[in-house]
């Protein structure tokens, strides 16, 4: 399966603001083994100078996923969800994410490549506060594995 | 005092391991919202050419960081974290898979107050599942 190469440089509309919830941070932290108390305990987080519980470094994938759905559901893309394998992932922070943050994520397709029947699409999701302060950028390369019929 | 103040370049500063089971995959699916069936249905995974149910790459990426977060504590934070997913982590129905993570200090930038760690993330038997794993940390 090949991905439409014309997707490169498409800038999608920002997804609706994502409000980082305290319980979601705790649930996510538990699911990735982030057991330090400032990920779970508000008083401890505040005593360490954070406004609320601190999200683990990979938490923004939750928000990035919403932007990636824009891509996967784009009528001109044609990606079979079950053939998608994660290739690379990167998070670059201006500051840690804490519960109570509202993050606005905007997706851009950086690069589309084909390699031996597989397709690779690299996207960047920039997340800012409603005031425009940059918080984190998540960059992903997704590999769409070839269909047996076409490999 | 920063976590890396008493370490030298090349030191293994922290390591950890986790025994992953299907329960971890279900928990992560719910927490992350990633409900791709290849992470809970062997039949769907096999239909697309995989050996069976595999862990979400992001679950592996998250757990690989767990020992680093303990080492770093609340006074430091992660500036960047990047990985390449090099090998699927298959999680059988009836037996756990042990994931190991070892962090080596590779760079300290006195000017910016930042440190870089390289992580070796492997399964029992030494197979690398994440490549090019770099973590940049800073003190707050």
């Amino acid at each position: 399966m090949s991905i439409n190469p014309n997707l490169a440089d498409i800038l999608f509309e920002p997804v609706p603001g994502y409000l980082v919830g305290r319980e979601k941070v705790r649930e996510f932290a538990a699911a990735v083994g982030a057991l330090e108390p400032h990920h779970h305990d508000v008083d401890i987080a505040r005593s360490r100078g954070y406004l609320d519980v601190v999200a683990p470094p990979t938490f923004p994938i939750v928000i990035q996923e919403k932007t990636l759905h824009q891509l996967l559901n784009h009528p001109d893309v044609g990606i079979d969800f079950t053939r998608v394998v994660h290739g690379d992932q990167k998070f670059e922070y201006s500051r840690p994410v804490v519960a109570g943050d509202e993050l606005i994520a905007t997706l851009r397709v950086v690069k589309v490549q084909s390699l031996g029947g597989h397709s690779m699409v690299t996207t960047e999701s920039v997340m800012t506060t409603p005031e425009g302060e940059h918080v984190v950028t998540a960059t992903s390369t997704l590999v769409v594995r070839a269909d047996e019929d076409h490999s | 005092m920063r976590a890396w103040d008493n370490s030298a370049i090349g030191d293994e500063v922290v390591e950890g391991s986790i025994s992953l089971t299907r329960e971890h995959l279900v928990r992560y699916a719910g927490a992350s919202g990633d409900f791709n069936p290849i992470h809970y249905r062997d039949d769907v995974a096999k239909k697309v050419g995989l050996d069976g149910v595999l862990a979400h790459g992001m679950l592996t990426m998250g757990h690989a960081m767990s020992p680093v977060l303990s080492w770093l504590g609340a006074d430091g934070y992660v500036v960047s974290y990047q990985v390449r997913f090099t090998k699927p982590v298959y999680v059988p129905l009836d037996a756990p898979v042990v994931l190991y993570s070892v962090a080596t200090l590779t760079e300290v930038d006195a000017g910016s107050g930042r440190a870089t760690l390289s992580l070796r993330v492997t399964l029992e038997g030494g197979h690398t599942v994440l490549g090019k794993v770099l973590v940049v940390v800073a003190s707050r």
Side-chain angles (χ1 to χ4, degrees):
Chain A
M1 177 184 295
S2 62
I3 301 175
N4 182 352
N6 298 325
L7 289 172
D9 280 329
I10 288 186
L11 189 65
F12 287 79
E13 288 295 308
V15 292
Y18 181 95
L19 184 60
V20 179
R22 186 182 288 164
E23 299 305 338
K24 197 67 188 173
V25 167
R26 288 172 170 154
E27 182 189 6
F28 190 92
V32 294
L35 306 178
E36 291 298 302
H38 60 290
H39 299 300
H40 300 272
D41 186 311
V42 181
D43 292 337
I44 288 180
R46 288 184 177 154
S47 75
R48 298 304 190 89
Y50 295 100
L51 289 173
D52 209 301
V53 291
V54 180
T58 57
F59 179 82
I61 192 69
V62 175
I63 307 163
Q64 187 188 5
E65 239 2 79
K66 296 184 187 301
T67 65
L68 289 173
H69 281 151
Q70 288 180 303
L71 174 70
L72 297 175
N73 295 332
H74 192 286
D76 299 337
V77 178
I79 294 177
D80 177 355
F81 188 48
T82 59
R83 294 192 175 278
V84 173
V85 174
H86 212 152
D88 294 87
Q89 180 69 36
K90 183 178 189 180
F91 299 96
E92 294 167 284
Y93 280 88
S94 291
R95 65 160 172 83
V97 171
V98 295
D101 276 334
E102 185 179 358
L103 296 175
I104 316 281
T106 308
L107 177 80
R108 185 169 72 88
V109 176
V110 178
K111 198 163 61 176
V112 178
Q113 292 169 285
S114 285
L115 193 71
H118 301 309
S119 294
M120 286 178 290
V121 56
T122 303
T123 66
E124 181 185 84
S125 301
V126 176
M127 302 179 203
T128 67
T129 64
E131 293 74 34
E133 176 207 0
H134 177 262
V135 178
V136 56
T137 296
T139 306
S140 273
T141 300
L142 300 178
V143 181
V144 186
R145 300 165 63 252
D147 197 308
E148 283 76 19
D149 299 340
H150 299 99
S151 57
Chain B
M1 163 128 168
R2 296 167 303 194
W4 56 91
D5 277 347
N6 286 330
S7 301
I9 304 297
D11 283 358
E12 289 181 357
V13 292
V14 68
E15 61 178 43
S17 67
I18 170 91
S19 289
L20 293 176
T21 64
R22 289 274 172 100
E23 188 189 332
H24 288 93
L25 274 56
V26 172
R27 187 183 291 270
Y28 184 79
S32 68
D34 182 346
F35 293 105
N36 190 330
I38 62 174
H39 302 303
Y40 58 90
R41 279 185 55 178
D42 284 307
D43 60 328
V44 174
K46 284 176 179 164
K47 206 170 135 194
V48 295
L50 299 162
D51 292 351
V53 161
L54 69 164
H56 307 75
M58 292 305 303
L59 169 93
T60 307
M61 186 177 182
H63 275 288
M65 182 60 114
S66 169
V68 175
L69 294 179
S70 301
W71 169 79
L72 190 61
D75 296 327
Y77 76 102
V78 172
V79 176
S80 71
Y81 180 26
Q82 66 181 91
V83 307
R84 169 159 292 173
F85 301 99
T86 53
K87 197 177 186 304
V89 177
Y90 290 110
V91 181
L93 191 57
D94 49 0
V97 170
V98 185
L99 183 77
Y100 297 90
S101 181
V102 181
T104 303
L105 185 67
T106 58
E107 199 182 323
V108 173
D109 184 339
S112 64
R114 294 177 173 187
T116 305
L117 307 173
S118 166
L119 268 59
R120 200 166 67 246
V121 183
T122 55
L123 299 181
E124 217 156 11
H127 297 290
T128 299
V129 290
L130 298 179
K132 300 185 176 186
V133 189
L134 286 180
V135 183
V136 177
V137 295
S139 51
R140 293 172 61 232

